[in-house]
Amino acid sequence: MRSDGILGVGSSDQSRSSTAVVASRRRWLKRRETWLVVLGVALHAVYMLSIFDIYFKTPIVHGMDPVPPRFSEPPAKRLVLLISDGLRADKFFEPDEEGKYRAPFLRNVIKNQGRWGVSHARPPTESRPGHVAIIAGFYEDPSAVTKGWKANPVEFDSVFNQSRHTFAYGSPDIIPIFCSALPHSTWNSYPHEYEDFATDASFLDEWSFDQFESLLNRSHEDPKLKELLHQDKLVVFLHLLGCDSNGHAHRPYSSIYLNNVKVVDKIAERVYHLLEDYYRDNRTSYIFTADHGMSDKGSHGDGHPTNTDTPLVAWGAGIKYPKPASGNSHSDSVTTFVDKHAHDMPTPYDWGLRRVERVDVNQADIAPLMSTLLGLPCPVNSVGNLPLGYMKLNEAEEVEAVLANTKQILNQLLRKSYIKSSNSLFFKPFKPLVHHSSSLSQIDELISAKSYEDAMKLAVDLRNLSLEGLHYFQTYDWLMLMTVITLGYTGWMIVLALHVLQCYSSLSGDLSKKEHLSVQKKDSGKVYISGCLLMAILSVLNLVEHSPPLYHAYIGMTVFLWTQIFSEYRLIRGLWRYLRERRADYFIKLLFAAAVAVVIVELLVHSFTERKLYTWFFLIAGVVASILLHFSIPWRSGIPVFVCLSCWFLSVFTLMPAEIPDNNNLVVISGAIIIVISLAAKWLDTHAEGNKFWQSVTFHESRTPMCSMLYCIQIFLVGVSSVMVFLSTKHRTQNQELHSSHQFINWLVAGSSMVLPLFSENGILSRLSSIFLGFAPPFLLLSIGYEAVFYSALAVVLMAWILFENASHHSNKVKDSSMSEKNTEEHITIGNDERYLQLSDVRIPLIFMVLFNVAFFGTGNFASIASFEISSVYRFITIFSPFLMAALLIFKLFIPFMLVICAFSAITKLVRVPRLGCYFLVILFSDIMTIHFFFLVKNTGSWMEIGNSISHFGIVSAQVVFVLLLFALTNLYTRSIRVKPLSTSPSLKTL
């Protein structure tokens, strides 16, 4: 008897069971698989939430006391913060085409009055996180993902909170974040309607200045306001949105954007002279910077230097005067910058500032700089390092300022340590700072002894250790949670593998016999009791530690899965004995299959970020498949050539741009291509039935004239939809509306065409051709460009897959019949004309996964704008209706999946393997990808990068439900498909 590995054929002792036993087994199998599906859905739903407990927990804690610097008198009474939203460093510092600099006032400040440098922003380089970093001193709160990146979900401290009073004017998207709940603030923002990308937005900057100038003018008539303005610890914040709006609308190299740089410089000059004339006390500090830059495409968000590098200019009270440059060092005791770029490059020559010392900072360092200038405590949530290179302090004051900065960061660490230790039975402190009190005492002693240099070194070291400690406690539970989740996914995959081996392979052998079941159940009871006891102990520990409720779910589900695995220890032991008895050639075959599966799964993982991998895959797959077919079918049959060319044709689409360009003519031509493909399939279905090789594909129980009429109607509907694509688009373009008659016809054609395949002939080729024609009209009507051709290319590859499987199946049957007349009968051991799975059958779920993912990414990215181009629905509806439009767009994306799953179902019937068994293998391989994406989730970077990492993990996690739902839906079309009965013993015929 021939064996085909783990999923192979068993011994001849496995005779056909009685009808009653088979019926009982089917009921047991149905209950077990229903339980498995429910467990899989629950597991993936719970584990999907784990990334928010691991990667997206807020770093913000409350309950720390502010630490003011111990100054006899602060360097400044008031501070002016000017933030030019979206201003790139290079566009600010470089000269224009005439050699003149765009910011003459601020360049004069750099050379004669103050200090300058580049402020390095950390992705996501967006307005809200950038302003939070400048004003509050910490970077994007990763838990903001739960708010759709629209707001900070946790309240935080800021320089404005610590000030005596804050005056703020600017954008309605920024000012309210800091001032709406701040009682000691005076603020105003313009209406959202002012932010018009069709205009020059520099007037928004003028608006902010005018508001502040009006405030000062009113103070001459308002004694209370004047008294308030003359108090200390005041902050004036002007948010200048013009560069950001003009950069988005006109790009940062446009004349409008570059002119806006001049406007910003002029506003800085006017603010300076206005305040100096108003106060006349030289006690005002000025800081000019930007929240982020702007890419050449007019966007921002990622970590490109054009987005992360922003200008920083500081002058006035408490700020050092310029110094001649010495060397190429641009940092101020900062070893690394948050944007992770190389920063040892010399200042660009065209900036004209090589002779002036440059001091670069991290964006969050600006918050402690502002606080120290005003003598305020640093914001309690700040992680910024005080840049002493900007501050004019004596040696003692420098040490005191850095010590206050250090204590503020240390207090956050101590608070996190206290919270974690009070809820942990086995608390592990941050060892380098266990004796932090002695370090602080030592610093105070050195200050008293006026050993300022040694005190400064200790304070800086303590600050750096405190920052490391903050990261330690932010990731304190990571190892435990990631271990639990990884064990959970691994346990789930082992449960699936054991189920497939036990129910869909012949490996279980004697272990499935009735006499062993009673022993198995008796021993399994002990395993379940042990599992329940372990789960109870871990639950109590979680309760004592006040762990979040989801922690109980993660741990409980993982323990449950591994309890299930150990309850099947007899099957595992049998598997081990089976493997020990195998010869070396068997292990070579097993390792080869595993290697191919790993390579394909890894290819799919990387294809989420690199679509071009599919091009290489199909180019190689076309060659390999045609070579394999050459040994099964004579080359002159044309099938190997067809398979190779169809794979090569599909490979073209992943080289095309993800943003689908409009091409109405291409959509119309695609309708003609669909008709030609269906005519070829019809001819083959009619003329190849007598050929024994094609019998499995073209088999029909009966042919009726109605089926031919149905086919003609489907061809007609595809033609009508192609015509309507042209007419609807032309009328809408010319008249700016969708004609009601066109809308009615489009809905009618799309709806009726999808019903017709239910009444088509039930042969594999006939039914799949009908399904292909049935979904073509709605897909054409929802297409705007090359994705319409992709529909045909995908269908042709699916047909090639069916021909490949048919050839493989036919060849195997001939080999089996030459070995034994009984061999075919011995394959039928499950029922419903289904055989046990073999090791070679693993190719079916793997090919399905590749094609399923190509349906995701063949014409773009499921999570990208290309897949959700709103103009796709304009032939059905033009009046804005978000739910209906979203439903149409999602339906368009589902159509290629429907084709893939219909072909998959047909192949399982063709080669007589259990579809649910293959489904569980699909989920098993998908979860290998899920674990991979679990470790690739990002909580830093641009919002797009973070969002894509989450969506990739979510998409693969959801496949257990997504694929099952599509199976249920496509079952309406495929359940009546019939293949040739097994009674016929075909022989290979030269085609």
Side-chain angles (χ1 to χ4, degrees):
M1 166 51 63
R2 179 174 62 88
S3 178
D4 194 16
I6 289 181
L7 297 175
V9 180
S11 64
S12 57
D13 294 337
Q14 293 181 337
S15 59
R16 186 170 297 174
S17 302
S18 65
T19 304
V21 173
V22 170
S24 175
R25 184 182 184 279
R26 288 178 183 171
R27 289 193 298 270
W28 171 83
L29 188 61
K30 184 177 181 179
R31 289 194 304 270
R32 181 183 176 89
E33 292 183 335
T34 301
W35 171 83
L36 263 181
V37 169
V38 172
L39 176 64
V41 172
L43 177 141
H44 286 81
V46 171
Y47 284 177
M48 201 183 301
L49 297 174
S50 66
I51 60 172
F52 297 102
D53 283 321
I54 298 173
Y55 296 103
F56 299 102
K57 290 187 72 172
T58 180
I60 299 173
V61 290
H62 300 103
M64 297 82 67
D65 294 326
V67 184
R70 294 181 292 194
F71 291 160
S72 57
E73 185 180 9
K77 285 187 66 175
R78 66 200 69 88
L79 180 137
V80 177
L81 174 63
L82 304 172
I83 297 182
S84 180
D85 203 311
L87 177 58
R88 273 168 57 161
D90 58 344
K91 300 301 179 186
F92 175 78
F93 290 118
E94 70 186 16
D96 58 20
E97 296 175 352
E98 299 177 358
K100 297 180 180 179
Y101 292 100
R102 302 185 184 99
F105 170 73
L106 289 171
R107 287 187 66 82
N108 181 66
V109 167
I110 291 171
K111 292 183 176 182
N112 300 299
Q113 289 181 258
R115 305 289 273 169
W116 78 286
V118 172
S119 172
H120 299 281
R122 192 181 84 171
T125 46
E126 302 285 350
S127 292
R128 179 183 54 78
H131 281 84
V132 170
I134 293 169
I135 300 169
F138 67 90
Y139 300 102
E140 175 68 307
D141 183 350
S143 66
V145 68
T146 60
K147 297 285 187 179
W149 306 117
K150 298 297 183 183
N152 281 70
V154 181
E155 291 186 5
F156 57 89
D157 191 22
S158 72
V159 175
F160 296 173
N161 290 31
Q162 299 289 348
S163 69
R164 190 180 304 278
H165 200 91
T166 294
F167 302 91
Y169 302 99
S171 167
D173 297 317
I174 297 299
I175 301 299
I177 293 176
F178 301 95
C179 299
S180 61
L182 190 63
H184 55 277
S185 65
T186 301
W187 62 278
N188 195 11
S189 60
Y190 40 78
H192 281 284
E193 293 75 23
Y194 281 24
E195 299 176 19
D196 187 355
F197 289 158
T199 63
D200 182 353
S202 61
F203 79 94
L204 299 175
D205 301 343
E206 297 284 357
W207 183 95
S208 298
F209 173 78
D210 292 341
Q211 291 289 310
F212 178 60
E213 184 180 38
S214 175
L215 175 82
L216 293 183
N217 291 334
R218 289 200 312 273
S219 70
H220 296 300
E221 301 175 358
D222 187 343
K224 289 185 178 180
L225 178 58
K226 189 168 186 176
E227 181 183 357
L228 176 62
L229 286 168
H230 280 80
Q231 292 184 2
D232 61 353
K233 297 179 173 51
L234 299 183
V235 176
V236 176
F237 170 42
L238 298 187
H239 176 246
L240 311 176
L241 185 64
C243 285
D244 185 72
S245 297
N246 284 328
H248 287 309
H250 309 288
R251 307 295 183 268
Y253 47 79
S254 65
S255 59
I256 293 179
Y257 179 92
L258 299 177
N259 182 69
N260 206 144
V261 178
K262 299 177 182 179
V263 172
V264 165
D265 178 73
K266 195 65 179 176
I267 289 176
E269 181 180 12
R270 292 160 68 188
V271 168
Y272 172 71
H273 290 304
L274 183 67
L275 287 173
E276 291 304 306
D277 291 340
Y278 185 85
Y279 288 108
R280 300 180 184 273
D281 60 359
N282 296 322
R283 296 296 308 279
T284 307
S285 297
Y286 301 88
I287 291 181
F288 174 88
T289 188
D291 55 345
H292 56 75
M294 182 75 61
S295 72
D296 289 341
K297 296 180 180 180
S299 62
H300 52 82
D302 61 22
H304 192 274
T306 57
N307 290 326
T308 61
D309 292 357
T310 62
L312 174 61
V313 182
W315 74 101
I319 302 296
K320 288 181 178 178
Y321 285 100
K323 288 175 58 179
S326 58
N328 291 327
S329 177
H330 309 320
S331 66
D332 178 47
S333 302
V334 178
T335 55
T336 58
F337 291 98
V338 291
D339 56 5
K340 298 181 181 178
H341 298 145
H343 301 288
D344 56 351
M345 303 298 290
T347 300
Y349 181 80
D350 60 350
W351 288 12
L353 295 171
R354 284 193 169 187
R355 296 183 178 181
V356 184
E357 187 179 64
R358 165 180 162 186
V359 183
D360 286 8
V361 301
N362 285 322
Q363 196 172 60
D365 299 342
I366 299 175
L369 171 62
M370 293 191 293
S371 296
T372 307
L373 285 169
L374 292 173
L376 298 171
C378 292
V380 296
N381 305 118
S382 171
V383 294
N385 294 324
L386 177 64
L388 289 176
Y390 282 83
M391 298 203 63
K392 185 169 59 178
L393 300 171
N394 59 43
E395 199 172 10
E397 289 174 333
E398 284 186 346
V399 175
E400 290 291 355
V402 171
L403 181 59
N405 182 206
T406 300
K407 287 181 177 179
Q408 168 264 318
I409 297 174
L410 178 63
N411 283 349
Q412 293 182 71
L413 168 73
L414 297 177
R415 181 61 181 171
K416 288 192 172 186
S417 177
Y418 171 77
I419 293 172
K420 182 56 65 175
S421 63
S422 62
N423 294 325
S424 299
L425 290 177
F426 309 103
F427 175 68
K428 295 181 180 179
F430 183 61
K431 292 183 179 179
L433 288 180
V434 171
H435 303 294
H436 66 276
S437 299
S438 60
S439 298
L440 290 173
S441 300
Q442 189 177 358
I443 293 172
D444 286 333
E445 290 173 2
L446 290 171
I447 292 175
S448 300
K450 297 186 179 181
S451 299
Y452 298 123
E453 185 176 347
D454 293 335
M456 178 68 76
K457 184 178 183 304
L458 281 178
V460 170
D461 290 343
L462 183 59
R463 182 176 64 187
N464 292 336
L465 285 175
S466 298
L467 290 171
E468 292 178 18
L470 289 178
H471 181 264
Y472 171 81
F473 284 109
Q474 181 67 18
T475 59
Y476 187 87
D477 291 332
W478 277 26
L479 180 61
M480 182 272 290
L481 287 175
M482 296 182 89
T483 302
V484 168
I485 301 301
T486 304
L487 285 174
Y489 277 121
T490 305
W492 163 249
M493 290 188 290
I494 294 174
V495 167
L496 286 181
L498 291 177
H499 173 73
V500 172
L501 290 172
Q502 190 173 21
C503 301
Y504 295 110
S505 80
S506 58
L507 179 67
S508 54
D510 293 338
L511 293 177
S512 61
K513 291 185 178 181
K514 185 176 180 180
E515 57 265 30
H516 290 280
L517 287 178
S518 58
V519 179
Q520 176 84 9
K521 289 181 179 179
K522 185 176 180 180
D523 293 343
S524 296
K526 298 178 182 178
V527 175
Y528 284 122
I529 291 173
S530 301
C532 290
L533 184 61
L534 177 61
M535 196 180 300
I537 293 172
L538 294 176
S539 296
V540 170
L541 289 175
N542 279 327
L543 286 172
V544 172
E545 294 192 345
H546 303 285
S547 299
L550 281 175
Y551 282 31
H552 296 263
Y554 305 147
I555 295 173
M557 197 158 284
T558 300
V559 172
F560 175 77
L561 287 168
W562 283 93
T563 301
Q564 287 294 121
I565 293 169
F566 286 115
S567 70
E568 300 285 352
Y569 75 95
R570 286 186 174 274
L571 179 61
I572 297 172
R573 187 170 61 186
L575 174 62
W576 174 248
R577 289 175 178 172
Y578 177 85
L579 291 173
R580 290 177 61 184
E581 296 170 0
R582 298 301 96 189
R583 295 183 302 178
D585 59 341
Y586 163 76
F587 287 102
I588 293 174
K589 183 190 298 185
L590 187 62
L591 289 174
F592 177 77
V596 171
V598 169
V599 168
I600 291 176
V601 169
E602 285 302 304
L603 170 82
L604 294 177
V605 169
H606 292 288
S607 70
F608 275 65
T609 53
E610 187 54 64
R611 293 169 56 233
K612 293 179 182 178
L613 287 174
Y614 287 115
T615 298
W616 289 104
F617 177 86
F618 281 104
L619 288 175
I620 296 171
V623 174
V624 173
S626 60
I627 292 173
L628 293 175
L629 287 172
H630 177 61
F631 295 101
S632 302
I633 309 171
W635 189 267
R636 63 179 179 274
S637 70
I639 291 178
V641 177
F642 168 75
V643 170
C644 184
L645 292 179
S646 63
C647 289
W648 287 4
F649 182 35
L650 187 63
S651 70
V652 173
F653 289 90
T654 47
L655 294 175
M656 295 183 178
E659 293 78 17
I660 303 174
D662 287 352
N663 193 330
N664 197 49
N665 293 331
L666 190 58
V667 178
V668 175
I669 294 171
S670 299
I673 295 174
I674 290 170
I675 292 175
V676 170
I677 292 173
S678 61
L679 289 173
K682 182 66 175 178
W683 181 88
L684 184 64
D685 191 36
T686 304
H687 293 82
E689 189 173 3
N691 189 306
K692 292 185 178 180
F693 174 80
W694 292 97
Q695 283 180 344
S696 298
V697 177
T698 61
F699 172 76
H700 297 276
E701 290 183 336
S702 61
R703 290 185 182 271
T704 62
M706 187 189 77
C707 293
S708 299
M709 179 67 70
L710 181 69
Y711 175 77
C712 294
I713 293 173
Q714 288 189 289
I715 292 287
F716 173 74
L717 290 177
V718 174
V720 170
S721 63
S722 299
V723 173
M724 293 309 300
V725 165
F726 176 77
L727 294 178
S728 299
T729 306
K730 182 179 179 181
H731 184 273
R732 180 173 53 82
T733 303
Q734 293 177 348
N735 300 283
Q736 301 298 312
E737 65 175 359
L738 176 62
H739 198 284
S740 57
S741 62
H742 293 170
Q743 185 179 25
F744 174 76
I745 294 172
N746 291 342
W747 279 103
L748 180 64
V749 169
S752 59
S753 66
M754 292 184 293
V755 179
L756 297 180
L758 297 172
F759 306 100
S760 62
E761 294 174 310
N762 57 8
I764 289 179
L765 186 58
S766 298
R767 178 55 62 90
L768 292 181
S769 298
S770 182
I771 293 171
F772 171 63
L773 286 172
F775 284 104
F779 195 82
L780 289 174
L781 291 168
L782 287 167
S783 297
I784 61 171
Y786 72 79
E787 79 271 34
V789 185
F790 171 78
Y791 179 80
S792 299
L794 180 63
V796 170
V797 168
L798 292 174
M799 189 64 224
W801 183 24
I802 292 173
L803 295 178
F804 178 85
E805 293 295 344
N806 184 50
S808 176
H809 180 61
H810 193 85
S811 177
N812 288 338
K813 286 198 295 185
V814 172
K815 292 177 182 178
D816 291 343
S817 62
S818 66
M819 293 175 63
S820 171
E821 293 181 359
K822 299 180 181 179
N823 208 8
T824 302
E825 292 296 320
E826 289 166 357
H827 276 69
I828 309 302
T829 54
I830 297 180
N832 292 330
D833 282 352
E834 291 178 346
R835 60 174 173 81
Y836 279 131
L837 286 169
Q838 302 174 15
L839 183 61
S840 58
D841 293 324
V842 171
R843 73 182 182 279
I844 296 175
L846 286 173
I847 295 174
F848 167 79
M849 288 180 63
V850 172
L851 292 171
F852 193 80
N853 281 275
V854 165
F856 268 111
F857 300 107
T859 58
N861 185 328
F862 184 81
S864 77
I865 191 172
S867 302
F868 293 94
E869 177 56 56
I870 193 67
S871 60
S872 298
V873 304
Y874 286 168
R875 299 186 188 105
F876 291 94
I877 183 172
T878 54
I879 299 173
F880 183 68
S881 176
F883 294 107
L884 180 57
M885 287 180 167
L888 287 170
L889 289 170
I890 293 173
F891 175 68
K892 174 191 173 183
L893 297 174
F894 277 12
I895 290 176
F897 304 147
M898 302 278 281
L899 290 186
V900 174
I901 292 182
C902 286
F904 175 76
S905 299
I907 286 172
T908 58
K909 292 194 174 189
L910 175 67
V911 299
R912 304 179 190 279
V913 294
R915 189 173 69 158
L916 269 176
C918 289
Y919 163 75
F920 287 123
L921 289 177
V922 167
I923 299 306
L924 191 153
F925 291 129
S926 294
D927 281 331
I928 297 175
M929 295 173 61
T930 302
I931 292 178
H932 199 132
F933 282 121
F934 174 70
F935 287 99
L936 292 179
V937 172
K938 299 177 64 174
N939 59 2
T940 58
S942 70
W943 287 341
M944 180 179 292
E945 291 167 341
I946 297 170
N948 282 344
S949 71
I950 296 173
S951 66
H952 293 164
F953 174 69
I955 287 170
V956 179
S957 296
Q959 283 193 6
V960 65
V961 180
F962 185 56
V963 175
L964 188 65
L965 291 176
L966 288 177
F967 271 169
L969 186 59
T970 55
N971 193 51
L972 296 172
Y973 295 96
T974 60
R975 63 185 175 187
S976 59
I977 288 179
R978 296 290 180 267
V979 294
K980 189 173 181 61
L982 285 168
S983 57
T984 304
S985 182
S987 61
L988 185 62
K989 177 181 177 180
T990 301
L991 302 182

